[in-house]
Structure formats: C-alpha cells, structure tokens
Amino acid sequence: NTHTIETWLQISDNTIEGFGETTILNKNNKKLTETLRIVEMGDAIFYLAKVPSNPLPVAFKLIECSDSIAIFTNDLHDFPQKLSYKKVSENQLTVQVSSKENKGFELLFTRVE
C-alpha cells in the first residue's frame, strides 16, 4: 500500500514546478521523491520528471490538453510511456501511469488546502 502526494506551484507564465513524494507503507515507510516541472520549450510543452532511478530528467511531451485532461507521452522511456491527468471533480483528479500496452497504475489525488 502506498500514499502519494504531489504539490504544484506556477512559477512563471511558462513553467509550473512540482514535487512528488510516495511513502511505501508496511516497508518501514520508505519514501521516494521526484521533482516535477511542466514547461514550454520551443513550440511544445513538456512534463519533466527527475527521479532517483534516472541520472537525467525524463521528458514527456504534451499530446492532448483540455479543461479536464492532460496527456503526456514518451515512447522511448522504459516505464511509464504515458501520464494521463484527468479531472474528476473540482477537488479531485486521477493520474494514469501506463505503458504502451496500457499496463500500469492509477492514482487518485484530492486537493488539500
């Protein structure tokens, strides 16, 4: 069982920075962290994830965006290749973390202020 938190802050017109922390429960509450960024580069928007298991940030390109969904992909990454943020309600969204074969997991986030 895990507990995941993501915190986001808009730092400029072109950049949003985030921080993710996952606590693995029942395993001495081990914590995994990642630094996140959504940034406009050139004529595209990218989701950049810096995780301990990769020496460099992993870039996912925004391929779909509306008021209720944002989908980012990177077909060359081992896992995941797709991140799908979907608005469920004013205070909740889901994130599907998946492979090309649609294998993966889904997280439900609830806004806390």
Side-chain angles (χ1 to χ4, degrees), residues 6-60:
E6 280 189 9
T7 304
W8 292 91
L9 178 64
Q10 185 161 356
I11 61 168
S12 75
D13 290 344
N14 307 15
T15 306
I16 302 170
E17 286 191 348
F19 177 78
E21 181 178 86
T22 298
T23 303
I24 302 172
L25 306 174
N26 301 326
K27 288 193 177 184
N28 298 325
N29 291 336
K30 180 179 179 182
K31 291 188 187 286
L32 306 172
T33 61
E34 58 186 347
T35 303
L36 310 167
R37 180 177 277 203
I38 297 175
V39 62
E40 183 178 1
M41 294 189 296
D43 62 350
I45 295 174
F46 292 89
Y47 177 109
L48 304 173
K50 177 73 174 103
V51 296
S53 58
N54 290 317
L56 297 173
V58 179
F60 297 86

Side-chain angles (χ1 to χ4, degrees), residues 84 86 94-97 104-108:
S84 301
K86 296 180 185 177
T94 60
V95 181
Q96 285 187 318
V97 180
F105 57 91
E106 182 174 273
L107 302 170
L108 174 66

Side-chain angles (χ1 to χ4, degrees), residues 91 110-113:
N91 293 316
T110 301
R111 181 189 321 225
V112 177
E113 295 188 32

